Amino acid sequence: MKKNYIFILLLAFCFSNLSLGQEMLLNGGLEDWSDGSPTSWTKAEVLTQSTDAQSGSVSAVRTGGSGTKDLSQTITGIIPGNSYTVNFWYKSTGGDETNARIWCTWKNGSTTVYHAGTGSAAGDDELRNNSGYLDNNGGVWTQHTVTVTAPADVDSFYYEVRSYTNSTTYWDSLSFVNNTTVTDPCTTDATQSAAGVAAFDLTMG
């Protein structure tokens, strides 16, 4: 009976160390603010707090005005070949059908790296909505998700969403997850794990 308890404890330890996705974006829920801006973001242009939130207590909203305005954050520690998911919720009213878009890029140092190449080919990149805009979807909260693989020779990711002239656009529940799982050392060698359990049990009598 004692052996069973020890084995269960070891299994619990192993599963607790499995990585099922690592969130890399800071303050993606936009709950933390300082001096009128959400903390940890590289840019948060003309955004204010709103209690109209998709989750949590607040969201960030841009209310009208002219020009292109960004919400963006630089994410380091990108591993080429790993799978990553960009996810966010938005709500857009007013303006027209060109109110908001995703506008993310991979980076190699200060150089922008596009999936589809550089120059004019950059417009085909799904991280830039293939040069299109996010669907207003009747002015209700809408989720947008893109899963991509990091290209070779990149080391960071510039997470950016944009809003445009005369729109009222809300952002909330933004996320950037490393989907590539970490190998659990408990499962890499079943024989070694079983031997370890037996040895541990012997020491316990």
Side-chain angles (χ1 to χ4, degrees):
M1 193 69 177
K2 184 187 297 180
K3 181 185 292 187
N4 288 339
Y5 284 131
I6 294 169
F7 187 66
I8 290 169
L9 285 172
L10 287 174
L11 281 178
F13 173 78
C14 289
F15 284 116
S16 70
N17 283 279
L18 281 172
S19 175
L20 299 178
Q22 176 191 4
E23 177 60 63
M24 300 182 72
L25 193 69
L26 301 177
N27 192 26
L30 302 172
E31 295 296 307
D32 298 324
W33 292 64
S34 178
D35 298 324
S37 293
T39 61
S40 301
W41 288 85
T42 308
K43 285 185 181 180
E45 299 176 323
V46 302
L47 292 172
T48 57
Q49 282 187 359
S50 171
T51 56
D52 184 350
Q54 187 275 325
S55 67
S57 301
V58 298
S59 65
V61 60
R62 177 246 177 97
T63 53
S66 61
T68 302
K69 303 301 178 184
D70 301 338
L71 174 63
S72 57
Q73 185 177 139
T74 299
I75 302 169
T76 59
I78 298 301
I79 301 173
N82 276 16
S83 167
Y84 296 88
T85 296
V86 178
N87 182 72
F88 57 87
W89 287 78
Y90 69 96
K91 183 168 79 167
S92 193
T93 61
D96 51 27
E97 295 300 316
T98 62
N99 285 348
R101 72 187 344 169
I102 180 175
W103 203 250
C104 301
T105 56
W106 301 103
K107 292 284 190 178
N108 180 353
S110 60
T111 302
T112 297
V113 178
Y114 301 102
H115 268 177
T118 58
S120 60
D124 296 329
D125 199 324
E126 61 189 321
L127 288 171
R128 294 197 168 191
N129 216 47
N130 298 317
S131 291
Y133 293 84
L134 297 169
D135 187 349
N136 289 354
N137 199 23
V140 300
W141 279 107
T142 303
Q143 186 178 31
H144 186 79
T145 302
V146 178
T147 297
V148 288
T149 300
D153 301 322
V154 299
D155 54 21
S156 62
F157 185 83
Y158 195 62
Y159 189 115
E160 181 176 336
V161 289
R162 289 182 169 183
S163 58
Y164 294 90
T165 297
N166 294 329
S167 72
T168 296
T169 301
Y170 298 78
W171 306 108
D172 203 0
S173 303
L174 302 101
S175 177
F176 184 79
V177 172
N178 179 0
N179 302 312
T180 304
T181 59
V182 175
T183 301
D184 193 311
C186 295
T187 62
T188 55
D189 189 335
T191 303
Q192 184 177 9
S193 297
V197 171
F200 186 77
D201 184 60
L202 286 173
T203 64
M204 298 295 292

